[in-house]
Every structure is written in C-alpha cells, then in structure tokens.
Amino acid sequence: MDELFEKAPIKKVYFKISLPVVMGMLASMIFSLADTFFVAQTGNTDLVAGITVCTPMFMFMMALGDIFGLGGSSVISRLFGQKEHERSARISSVCFYYSLVMGLIVTALLLIFEKTILHILGATSATYPYAAAFYRVFALGSPLVIAELTPSNLIRTEGLAKQSMLAIVYGTALALILDPIFLFVFKWGAAGVALANILGYVLEFGFLIYYTHRDCKYITMDIKKARISWKDLKEVLAIGIPGSVTNLMQSFGMALLNNFLAKYGADQVAAMGITQKIYLIVMLVMIGFAFGAQPLIGYNYGARNAKRFKEALHFDLLVEIGYAVILSVILMIFAPYLVKIFMNKPEIVSLGTYMTRACLSTTPFIGAILVFTTVFQSAGKAWSAFIMALSRQGAVYLGTMLLCSYFFGLHGVVWAQPAADVITFGIGLLLYQGEFRKWIKQAELEN
C-alpha cells in the first residue's frame, strides 16, 4: 500500500484505484438503466412515476451510509499517510458497527412516517400505490443498503478497489436477473423491483465482509477494536456529515424537482425519470473517478507530499472534464433514440430528449465540482466540504428553481439544475484557492 501511494507513477496509481470504482459504478448504471427499461415496458406511466418518486429515498440511504463510509475512509487514508495503522483499525471497526445500528433506526422511522414522507417526495393519488409498494420493501432493507457503504469505502483505502468493485458487480448481477422475474413472471410490480434491489445488496454486503476478512491488513470488523476517542469520532463526523449532506441534498433536489414537475403531469415526471437514468451514464463514471482517487489524494495530503498531491489533483481534473465533454456530446446527439428505448411514446420522447440535453449541458462543470468536493473531503476540510454539500442541489438549486420556474415555467424547472451547476463551480474554485494555496507552498518548502 505505501509503495503504491508514495512512489508509483500518479497516472498508474490513479487508474489502478479508480477504474475498479468506475466499473462498479458502471455495473450499477447498467442495472439502473435495465431496471427503468423493464418497468417502462409495462406501459404504465404511473408505475414509472411512482418508482421515480422513491429515488430520493435511495439517495437518502446512500447519504447516511456516507457518514461512516466516506468519513471513515477520509480519516483513515490520511492516517495511513502518517503510518498510524492501529488507530486506523479501530476507526474502521467503529464505523462498521455504528452504520449498522443507524440503518436499523432508519428502518423504524421510515415505516412509521411512510405517508408523510411519500407525500413530501411528490407522490400523488395516482402514483401513491406504486410508490408505497416500492417504499415499504426498500425501507425494510435499508440497514444493509446503509451499512454496505462502510466496508465498500474503507477497503479502498488499502488499495483494494478491485474487491470493492467485484462485490458491487456480483450484487448488481443478481438484482438484474431477479428484476424481470419478479416484475413479469411473479407480477409483483413495484414491490418486486424493490425486492430485487435489496437481494442484490444482501449479496454485495456478504462479499464485502468476506473480502475485508480475507484481504485487509488494517481495516477490520473486529468488534473488540470498536473503541475510539471522541476526537477521532469527531474527525470522522466532520467529513462524514458534509459527505452525507451532499447525498441528502441530492434527495432534496430530486424531491424538489418531482414536486415542481408534478403539477405539469405524470408524463413530465416519467420523462424526467428516464432522463435521470440517461444522465447517470455520465454522472456515475465521473463519481467513480472522483471517489476512486480519494485515497491517493488523502494519503499524500496526510504525508504532506505537495508534488504528488498537485499531480493527482490536476490529472483528476483532466480526466473528469475530458470525459464529461466527450460523452455528453455523444449522448446529446443520440438522446431521442435513448429515450425511445425506455418508452416509445411521442410526448415522452420529445420531453425526455429536451430534458436530457438540458441536464447534460453543464456536465464539465460537474466534473470540476466533484474534484473540488472530494479534495476537501480527502484533506479533512470540513467547512469547505460542507459548503459544497449545501450548494449544488441544496441552497443554490432551491434559489435557481424558485427563480427559473417563476419566470419560465416548465422550461425554468428543467434548466434550474444547469444554472445551479455553473454557480456551484464558481464557489468550489474560490474555496479551493483559499484552502490549498498556502498549504501547498508550505509543504513544498518542507520537502
């Protein structure tokens, strides 16, 4: 691990630890697209819209998982750079068990407040039965959805990105097989789609536990080591909570979008649901590269190696922005054909094409935003990470949505997110200059 992060060429290390994360993201993307395709083949717009309404709930669970998964991996990667391995082991154990307990609490709360939550998410009288069927099954499986993010993130700090990817691929493959069986053979509808998802997470979680015990040298689930100081816990939470807020804001953003679209009809909600799946083709790969590079950036920040820190950061920006430009142009060109694959209705194809092209127009800015966000998280810059978390799909998005929808109606709702992306990029650039310009100069003088 030390040899890899300290001496190997940056480009080699970057792709070694990032590509498996990207592949895992692609596996998730393939299932997400297939899942939407299978559901759309029912021809039931209310079913498609009902499941789309529940998308923020999944993001909410991912957000909670990031508290200990992302927060723990950030602290541990820096500690590895400082050679504090025993402390890292204790933090890893605490993160695993705390995330599992949190998942059990969330299940209870989701089931108790089902009606209130679904209405907040944008369920209508027509879509509520489908949304509720999906919601209940997914709520019961939430402990595993939340807890699996901890070992998935933590084992990558030891350079075991391949093992993390394999667990995701195995779980996704199972869900992909079960999804059409539950939907078309057993006729279980939205509940069957949710159950296929949950069983995939069960398998993924099992493999992550296996790889942690088999391959990790320092990361552990040994409950005897699940004791850390309040100082260490605060460090985990200082990064984990902003990371969680990032995903919570995605849930907020989706709920906000669904609510503003709902008054225009189920076709608009369904078209945006398809658009979001196509959008994932770009987004998940960019997220994979950004989070895949995090252990490398965190390690060299902890080791105060400014040269490798800058080199990793610059290469990350090049990959993110270059990929975003190329793939976004391709998807914009083929947008009508992609939407038609999911639902071949003229009004859905027209709406989906327009929405897809609007969403893709600012993806290069999103690539840079992801780099800024993960660098703040990797370096333990809690306030900057928190500000970024609240911006793109939080406070900035709310502001652009209110203004754009008021002045431009449906067009404003569609273009509110691209406007928020440009503003958030500017915020991230200013924060980066403020956080790292002085540190880089000092670290270069020390070396």
Side-chain angles (χ1 to χ4, degrees), residues 395-425:
V396 174
Y397 188 33
L398 176 60
T400 57
M401 179 65 80
L402 290 172
L403 287 172
C404 293
S405 64
Y406 178 80
F407 287 106
F408 304 108
L410 176 62
H411 297 290
V413 173
V414 173
W415 284 95
Q417 183 65 75
D421 293 340
V422 176
I423 295 170
T424 306
F425 165 77

Side-chain angles (χ1 to χ4, degrees), residues 257-272 347 350-352 354-355 358 397 400-401 403-418:
L257 180 60
N258 288 336
N259 272 283
F260 271 79
L261 282 175
K263 67 179 181 181
Y264 295 101
D267 281 353
Q268 282 72 13
V269 177
M272 183 56 76
E347 60 274 22
S350 177
L351 282 167
Y354 170 57
M355 291 174 176
Y397 188 33
T400 57
M401 179 65 80
L403 287 172
C404 293
S405 64
Y406 178 80
F407 287 106
F408 304 108
L410 176 62
H411 297 290
V413 173
V414 173
W415 284 95
Q417 183 65 75

Side-chain angles (χ1 to χ4, degrees), residues 190-210:
V193 175
L195 182 59
N197 274 268
I198 294 302
L199 291 177
Y201 277 108
V202 170
L203 184 64
E204 181 180 336
F205 189 64
F207 271 104
L208 286 169
I209 293 174
Y210 169 69

Side-chain angles (χ1 to χ4, degrees), residues 71-87:
S73 64
S74 172
V75 175
I76 289 169
S77 63
R78 280 178 275 128
L79 289 176
F80 281 161
Q82 299 163 14
K83 307 295 191 284
E84 294 194 40
H85 298 131
E86 178 59 27
R87 189 175 160 199

Side-chain angles (χ1 to χ4, degrees), residues 57-79:
M57 183 176 72
F58 172 73
M59 294 178 179
F60 171 72
M61 293 180 188
M62 298 288 285
L64 294 179
D66 278 342
I67 293 177
F68 294 105
L70 184 58
S73 64
S74 172
V75 175
I76 289 169
S77 63
R78 280 178 275 128
L79 289 176

Side-chain angles (χ1 to χ4, degrees), residues 158 167 333 346 360 429 435-436 446:
E158 290 201 27
I333 293 170
L360 290 171
L429 184 60
E435 291 283 13
F436 293 105
E446 291 172 8

Side-chain angles (χ1 to χ4, degrees), residues 139-162:
L140 289 171
S142 61
L144 291 181
V145 179
I146 292 170
E148 66 88 21
L149 284 167
T150 298
S152 179
N153 277 284
L154 296 188
I155 66 174
R156 290 192 290 108
T157 62
E158 290 201 27
L160 302 177
K162 180 181 177 181

Side-chain angles (χ1 to χ4, degrees), residues 212-227:
T212 300
H213 284 295
R214 188 190 72 176
D215 298 328
C216 286
K217 187 176 180 181
Y218 304 112
I219 301 301
T220 180
M221 295 178 182
D222 185 355
I223 197 169
K224 295 178 182 178
K225 293 193 174 185
R227 297 187 306 276

